[in-house]
Amino acid sequence: MQIAHVEKGSSPLLINCPHVGVFVPEKIMAHLSDAAALLPDTDWKIDELYLFARVLGAGLMTATHSRYVVDLNRPPDDGVLYESGGSGLVPLQTFEGKSVYQPGQAPSASEIANRVDRYWAPYHALLRTELGRLRRIFGWAILLDAHSIVGRLPLLFEGQLPDLNLGTNDGASVPADLESGAFEILTRSAYPAVLNQRFKGGFITRHYGQPETGIYALQLEMSQRVYMSGTPSKFDAKLAAAVQPLLRKLVELLLRFRHSPTAVCG
């Protein structure tokens, strides 16, 4: 199976969904625990929220493989991204603290290296290629990294996560006016929003968001209660339709952005 689907757009904007994948190769699935086999940490159907953006000219890149195979939003050396912790390059625990693998079945260092070569590297090669293509055509590229997560996870954060969590690597991955414009759109909505707090951007935002090269990146982490409901939670078309006008405003802002070599980052 291919590592990702890339739908090319007609604008400098690429929306990337690295944690939406649910495919786990049979040899890996055989070693997963019962809890992990349900793939609880998937960014369930986050790509469906952004399908409208294709009509506006945005490109869409979606991962096919589960983050339990390898986390595409972590550095290949498994370096620490957040002081408060989080999952690793090949997660060993779910976000609820349950073991991903059956006893004695966790992958070895050589297996992890193999997964990086087989899955992580090809995905990022595709991402680099598409961002490079956009920059050649338009002179710049904008990457919106789209994520979602359950709203309460005591192992990762206290209390309830705000609905919308915008990350720009503390302003390093986008110009200040783009950051402020995007955050203003979110704060004018009925959904509680924060900027550069718990989710300030993972590896993808930090690595590819290099304004001096003409590539900008933002991460939007959304609480799944915004568009999912029930027990277990499932995609709720009514809730999704309610938040999509807000996402459309954000996408339209990104589409209006024009690159300036002298842009100042926050």
Side-chain angles (χ1 to χ4, degrees):
M1 174 181 286
Q2 58 187 333
I3 193 64
H5 298 294
V6 181
E7 299 178 65
K8 296 180 180 180
S10 57
S11 77
L13 176 60
L14 175 66
I15 300 173
N16 181 51
C17 305
H19 290 155
V20 75
V22 295
F23 178 73
V24 179
E26 185 176 346
K27 289 184 178 180
I28 297 177
M29 180 64 81
H31 298 294
L32 297 188
S33 67
D34 289 343
L38 299 175
L39 309 180
D41 300 328
T42 302
D43 291 8
W44 296 108
K45 297 184 179 295
I46 192 68
D47 55 323
E48 292 191 17
L49 284 179
Y50 291 91
L51 289 179
F52 70 88
R54 296 286 293 114
V55 179
L56 301 179
L60 183 64
M61 180 167 175
T62 55
T64 56
H65 289 57
S66 168
R67 70 190 304 163
Y68 290 159
V69 176
V70 68
D71 194 326
L72 301 166
N73 200 27
R74 297 295 181 268
D77 64 357
D78 206 12
V80 176
L81 287 177
Y82 297 103
E83 293 181 2
S84 56
S87 62
L89 177 64
V90 173
L92 300 180
Q93 285 190 323
T94 70
F95 287 159
E96 291 188 341
K98 298 178 181 179
S99 178
V100 170
Y101 292 91
Q102 300 170 32
Q105 300 296 305
S108 65
S110 61
E111 167 63 14
I112 292 174
N114 178 64
R115 293 191 198 181
V116 171
D117 290 342
R118 187 170 183 178
Y119 306 110
W120 190 99
Y123 188 91
H124 283 271
L126 284 173
L127 183 53
R128 283 195 307 273
T129 297
E130 182 58 12
L131 290 173
R133 184 187 75 86
L134 295 175
R135 183 172 54 183
R136 286 194 302 274
I137 294 173
F138 299 100
W140 71 93
I142 301 179
L143 176 65
L144 175 58
D145 216 42
H147 296 262
S148 73
I149 191 170
V150 296
R152 288 187 180 274
L153 279 173
L155 288 180
L156 294 185
F157 46 81
E158 295 182 1
Q160 181 168 278
L161 186 71
D163 290 346
L164 305 172
N165 303 264
L166 184 65
T168 63
N169 192 21
D170 289 328
S173 65
V174 292
D177 59 342
L178 184 56
E179 177 190 70
S180 61
F183 190 52
E184 182 179 5
I185 286 174
L186 301 184
T187 56
R188 285 185 173 182
S189 76
Y191 301 93
V194 295
L195 173 65
N196 288 321
Q197 292 194 12
R198 176 60 181 83
F199 296 96
K200 63 179 62 182
F203 173 78
I204 290 173
T205 301
R206 302 182 195 198
H207 180 73
Y208 293 99
Q210 305 292 334
E212 67 277 7
T213 70
I215 296 180
Y216 308 97
L218 310 89
Q219 175 177 300
L220 183 59
E221 185 87 47
M222 180 180 298
S223 177
Q224 289 177 350
R225 65 177 173 273
V226 171
Y227 70 100
M228 298 178 69
S229 64
T231 306
S233 296
K234 295 183 178 180
F235 188 86
D236 187 312
K238 185 175 181 179
L239 291 177
V243 75
Q244 281 177 320
L246 173 62
L247 297 178
R248 185 184 182 102
K249 289 180 181 178
L250 176 63
V251 167
E252 289 174 341
L253 172 74
L254 300 180
L255 291 172
R256 290 195 302 270
F257 177 78
R258 294 295 180 265
H259 167 67
S260 171
T262 60
V264 177
C265 292

